[in-house]
Amino acid sequence: MRLPPPFFVIFALVLTSSALATEFRTDFSDGLGPWQTSPSGVWEPRIESGNRVAALTQAGEQSGGVRRPTGYLLLPQFVWSDYQFTLWAKTLEPATTVRRDVVLIFGYVDPTHFYYVHISSDSDDKFHNVMMKVDGETRTTIHQDPLPEARLTDEWHQIRVEHQSTGAIRVFVDDMNSPLMTASDQTFAAGAVGFGCFDDRALFDDVTIIGAAR
């Protein structure tokens, strides 16, 4: 069962004296706020167990080119580096759906240049429960861990991406002490962040981004 963090606010943007945005938080109490919807997929605020969340209610569709996440919310106003990106997610797909998923997008430069972590109910060495780089007309698996454990269930999951400008990337699912996946790639040292699904539906809540932004 998801336990909301204390002192969580609707929307907070903290500025340092050097005018760098260092912290962003939202719990969607005021709707989708500054998040920009992808061209495909349908998003809406939804009440879930008395709590307002962001809901991807209709899955997105592939638009040609390299296969990549189709339905997502993006925060394009900031280019983040050296940050932690944390949220809670819950799939809306039944257990009978093969390889259901949620994704976190980071290092986003444009629609065909970014990283994403695909948290799935299945694990293989190609496309499911993986960390990938979309680079133009190609996508490449970049995580260093063989067959990461498939942890996506019907419950809420806390997911965190830590992305350093040095290229170090760590992904945590539920266990915030031991990473599920790690990678080292310097192609996109900084970029926007987002979340959604590859081709499924899901709920998201309590997003926190802490780092340097411009």
Side-chain angles (χ1 to χ4, degrees):
M1 179 177 180
R2 182 176 64 88
L3 297 177
F7 310 116
F8 218 87
V9 296
I10 295 173
F11 172 86
L13 181 60
V14 181
L15 300 180
T16 69
S17 58
S18 59
L20 293 179
T22 60
E23 184 171 338
F24 174 92
R25 295 176 180 243
T26 185
D27 64 4
F28 303 107
S29 294
D30 257 1
L32 300 182
W35 295 91
Q36 182 182 95
T37 59
S38 56
S40 183
V42 176
W43 286 88
E44 60 185 42
R46 172 184 286 190
I47 300 297
E48 177 78 6
S49 301
N51 185 49
R52 191 175 294 274
V53 300
L56 176 57
T57 58
Q58 181 176 314
E61 298 179 355
Q62 293 293 328
S63 59
V66 63
R67 285 180 56 80
R68 57 196 186 276
T70 57
Y72 53 85
L73 291 181
L74 190 70
L75 191 67
Q77 300 91 329
F78 304 106
V79 175
W80 295 89
S81 61
D82 299 302
Y83 57 92
Q84 293 185 355
F85 173 27
T86 307
L87 53 69
W88 289 83
K90 180 181 180 180
T91 179
L92 287 174
E93 303 300 336
T96 52
T97 300
V98 177
R99 295 166 177 167
R100 53 189 177 166
D101 71 85
V102 297
V103 300
L104 273 66
I105 293 170
F106 56 103
Y108 182 96
V109 178
D110 61 41
T112 57
H113 296 87
F114 58 89
Y115 301 114
Y116 70 91
V117 57
H118 185 274
I119 305 301
S120 177
S121 57
D122 191 18
S123 185
D124 59 35
D125 59 356
K126 294 182 178 180
F127 307 119
H128 306 99
N129 218 52
V130 295
M131 196 186 323
M132 304 199 79
K133 174 174 64 177
V134 177
D135 194 4
E137 292 301 310
T138 64
R139 61 174 177 157
T140 307
T141 301
I142 62 171
H143 66 268
Q144 302 164 330
D145 319 271
L147 297 179
E149 179 187 2
R151 295 183 182 173
L152 190 68
T153 67
D154 294 329
E155 304 302 320
W156 282 96
H157 297 279
Q158 187 178 32
I159 306 170
R160 173 177 294 158
V161 170
E162 296 180 355
H163 183 202
Q164 301 297 316
S165 55
T166 59
I169 306 170
R170 301 198 301 171
V171 176
F172 301 80
V173 179
D174 298 326
D175 180 355
M176 296 294 107
N177 295 312
S178 300
L180 178 66
M181 300 182 218
T182 60
S184 181
D185 190 281
Q186 294 182 301
T187 307
F188 311 126
V193 301
F195 57 85
C197 292
F198 196 91
D199 50 15
D200 287 337
R201 302 165 301 140
L203 306 176
F204 299 87
D205 199 11
D206 295 343
V207 179
T208 303
I209 312 161
I210 302 174
R214 62 180 190 273

